[in-house]
Amino acid sequence: MLSYSNVSIAKIPNLNFTYERTFEKVLYYTYIKYSCPVESLITSRAISKTASILIVVIVVIAAVGGIAAYLSQQAPPPTTTATTTPTATTTSPTTTSQTTTTTATTTSPTTATAVKPIIIGATLSLTGKYGRTGEWYKMGYELWVEQINKKGGLLGRPVKLIIYDDQSDPTTAASLYEKLITVDKADLLLGPYSSAIVFAASSVTEKYRKVMVEGGGNALKIFSRGYRYIFLTLPGLAENITKGLFDFIASLPPDKRPKTIAIINANDLFPKAIANGAILYAKKLGLEVVLHEEYPKEAKDLTPLLTKVKELNPDVLIGGTYFPDAVLIVKTLKQLNWRPKIVFLTVGPAMPEFWETLGEDANGIMGESWWEPTAPWKGVKEFVQAFREKYGKDPDYHAACAYAACQVIEAAVKAVGSLDQDKIAEWIRTHTIETIVGPLKYTEAGYPTLGPLLIQWQNGTRVIIMPKNAATGEAIYPLPPTWG
């Protein structure tokens, strides 16, 4: 590197080639021509005034250009931001013990970062004893999520639904709700199916002070613990399920009323509650309970028990059942070629599959329903139509109560304007909420008090018998004593 007096090219770092050679040539020319350093040339009159000015201008231009080049090389490269449009993800049930179904529908983000979704979690019995019923709840939940996201979500955020398969097991459900809260960081919770599973799961949600709205468990035992964060959308308790039946019996002329009743139930929390309630109602009407007996909830053969019932020949048979044992009882009664004046079973008769499975053998069988597609409540017609369009069939009360649970959450979150669990719980407890299962007004314990419908299968149709103001037909009573 050339050095000319006090001016050294090496002292100006990172000069590009053009500027470096220009500066060097200027200094070299002046040094050789006038045999003196450039700073001396300017002050010693060794050159003309015009030449001095010209040299200074050239030197300044060269220096500025070199500095500019230096700075441009040190500047960071421009950044780019990728915009990603989130898509819905669904994981179908597999052979593993846990099944996660995630439904998330979001709008394309207008900024670099997508809006964080509100996570709603639940477990359902997608396999095991209650697998058939659990599917109805899943359909109800997913329909609401699809609809709410089309409307912009909650609080301006998309809703993401996470469902785990609890395999119809209370212990599994409790563990999975722990996971939903601590691992998945669910903002809100929907309930599982069956009173026994809700009882176990709600202990977890209460511990974490997380609101859970559920339409699957209504035994009084669930709501007798002083819990503050659980709310029911079935319009009443399991103990009240037979109310419609006993209202019907009371409406009959005294000489036509049945006199004796046999009560059987599965050995599980929900059926036990039904039986206990039925015993109380029977005593109030002065009816004699000639038998009350339980059977294993996984029973595959009820012939010995129903043979005993037949020998007692009661006027009414009440079964605290789920779908599988309700079907089993009807099939066994036909095999025994006997039936009382009234056969009342729970859960099974309210489901379309009851007729699909039994056909005409279901004729005359009574049951409870917490909701029917013909119910007069606000939004029922729209719900039924949307359900048919999405799933190709009518919903049953399980799907309706699941959807209503989502409606309760939606109303509370919008009213409160946040995900504050205490505020949401207090709002639900102190307001009447319009849902497709009716206007729900909650007790302090967290359950509503509307009560169920009494239905009866007649030629492939569920006919509402009670209450009278909702009736769609008259009851077939008494039933023929044989199946001829």
Side-chain angles (χ1 to χ4, degrees):
M1 181 68 68
L2 294 172
S3 180
Y4 308 103
S5 181
N6 297 333
V7 181
S8 173
I9 301 301
K11 291 180 181 179
I12 306 177
N14 295 326
L15 288 176
N16 64 33
F17 177 81
T18 303
Y19 290 122
E20 182 179 4
R21 303 321 302 170
T22 302
F23 193 26
E24 185 176 327
K25 287 179 180 179
V26 168
L27 295 184
Y28 180 79
Y29 173 79
T30 56
Y31 187 88
I32 297 300
K33 183 167 183 67
Y34 300 102
S35 300
C36 63
V38 65
E39 59 267 33
S40 298
L41 293 174
I42 297 172
T43 57
S44 63
R45 302 177 182 274
I47 59 175
S48 69
K49 183 177 179 179
T50 300
S52 298
I53 293 173
L54 180 60
I55 292 172
V56 170
V57 170
I58 293 174
V59 171
V60 170
I61 291 173
V64 170
I67 293 170
Y70 169 73
L71 293 175
S72 68
Q73 292 177 11
Q74 296 302 310
T79 58
T80 58
T81 303
T83 300
T84 304
T85 302
T87 57
T89 303
T90 302
T91 305
S92 300
T94 63
T95 56
T96 60
S97 61
Q98 294 182 5
T99 299
T100 306
T101 301
T102 305
T103 304
T105 306
T106 61
T107 56
S108 300
T110 55
T111 60
T113 304
V115 178
K116 181 181 178 182
I118 290 176
I119 298 176
I120 299 180
T123 82
L124 287 173
S125 301
L126 302 178
T127 58
K129 179 180 177 66
Y130 311 131
R132 201 164 193 167
T133 311
E135 285 292 337
W136 287 103
Y137 285 87
K138 181 172 178 285
M139 288 187 282
Y141 289 162
E142 291 184 340
L143 176 59
W144 175 82
V145 170
E146 179 182 288
Q147 291 178 338
I148 196 68
N149 279 328
K150 285 181 179 178
K151 294 188 291 185
L154 281 178
L155 304 179
R157 295 162 59 184
V159 172
K160 177 181 179 181
L161 175 64
I162 299 177
I163 294 176
Y164 289 116
D165 178 12
D166 58 38
Q167 303 166 34
S168 305
D169 179 67
T171 303
T172 301
S175 176
L176 289 173
Y177 273 95
E178 186 98 25
K179 179 181 179 182
L180 283 166
I181 295 168
T182 61
V183 178
D184 298 310
K185 306 298 182 183
D187 299 296
L188 299 163
L189 298 168
L190 294 166
Y193 172 67
S194 90
S195 289
I197 295 178
V198 171
F199 185 85
S202 57
S203 295
V204 177
T205 59
E206 190 74 15
K207 178 178 71 173
Y208 288 99
R209 301 170 68 91
K210 299 287 285 187
V211 170
M212 179 171 74
V213 185
E214 55 92 11
N218 61 346
L220 180 60
K221 186 176 180 181
I222 297 170
F223 302 95
S224 300
R225 298 172 289 173
Y227 283 6
R228 304 294 293 172
Y229 296 90
I230 181 171
F231 298 94
L232 175 68
T233 56
L234 283 162
L237 295 175
E239 284 79 359
N240 305 128
I241 277 180
T242 56
K243 182 180 183 300
L245 170 64
F246 285 97
D247 286 344
F248 168 72
I249 292 173
S251 73
L252 296 172
D255 61 331
K256 301 292 185 182
R257 293 178 188 172
K259 303 294 189 292
T260 57
I261 296 179
I263 300 171
I264 61 176
N265 62 272
N267 183 16
D268 198 25
L269 182 59
F270 170 69
K272 284 175 178 284
I274 294 166
N276 292 336
I279 291 170
L280 293 176
Y281 282 121
K283 288 181 178 179
K284 286 182 179 179
L285 279 182
L287 304 178
E288 181 186 1
V289 178
V290 297
L291 174 79
H292 174 214
E293 191 166 324
E294 295 183 343
Y295 54 86
K297 63 180 181 179
E298 303 290 347
K300 304 297 183 185
D301 183 8
L302 293 176
T303 303
L305 175 57
L306 289 172
T307 298
K308 184 190 297 187
V309 173
K310 178 182 178 181
E311 291 172 353
L312 293 170
N313 196 30
D315 295 324
V316 179
L317 172 62
I318 294 176
T321 59
Y322 292 106
F323 179 84
D325 42 334
V327 170
L328 179 60
I329 287 172
V330 175
K331 288 182 175 180
T332 306
L333 289 176
K334 184 176 182 181
Q335 290 171 0
L336 295 173
N337 195 29
W338 171 81
R339 58 186 162 192
K341 295 177 181 178
I342 294 176
V343 178
F344 177 94
L345 306 172
T346 59
V347 179
M351 300 172 66
E353 293 94 332
F354 194 72
W355 182 271
E356 293 169 6
T357 303
L358 294 169
E360 291 188 1
D361 290 343
N363 258 333
I365 304 298
M366 287 185 173
E368 100 295 350
S369 177
W370 296 104
W371 175 90
E372 286 294 311
T374 55
W377 310 121
K378 180 181 179 181
V380 169
K381 290 182 179 179
E382 293 81 0
F383 167 69
V384 172
Q385 181 179 351
F387 197 95
R388 287 171 178 166
E389 289 175 355
K390 184 172 177 64
Y391 301 113
K393 57 184 176 181
D394 280 352
D396 78 343
Y397 82 77
H398 299 99
C401 288
Y403 188 89
C406 299
Q407 287 184 301
V408 170
I409 282 181
E410 178 183 355
V413 170
K414 287 181 176 178
V416 170
S418 74
L419 298 173
D420 185 292
Q421 302 294 298
D422 290 319
K423 290 181 180 179
I424 291 172
E426 184 61 21
W427 190 89
I428 294 173
R429 188 173 286 106
T430 56
H431 289 77
T432 299
I433 306 170
E434 294 292 337
T435 74
I436 60 168
V437 298
L440 300 180
K441 184 174 178 59
Y442 286 93
T443 64
E444 277 294 308
Y447 61 87
T449 55
L450 277 178
L453 304 169
L454 174 66
I455 60 166
Q456 185 181 50
W457 278 101
Q458 298 180 10
N459 299 318
T461 302
R462 294 193 304 270
V463 176
I464 300 174
I465 307 300
M466 298 293 287
K468 287 292 186 182
N469 62 358
T472 58
E474 296 291 328
I476 299 173
Y477 174 83
L479 294 179
T482 64
W483 293 77

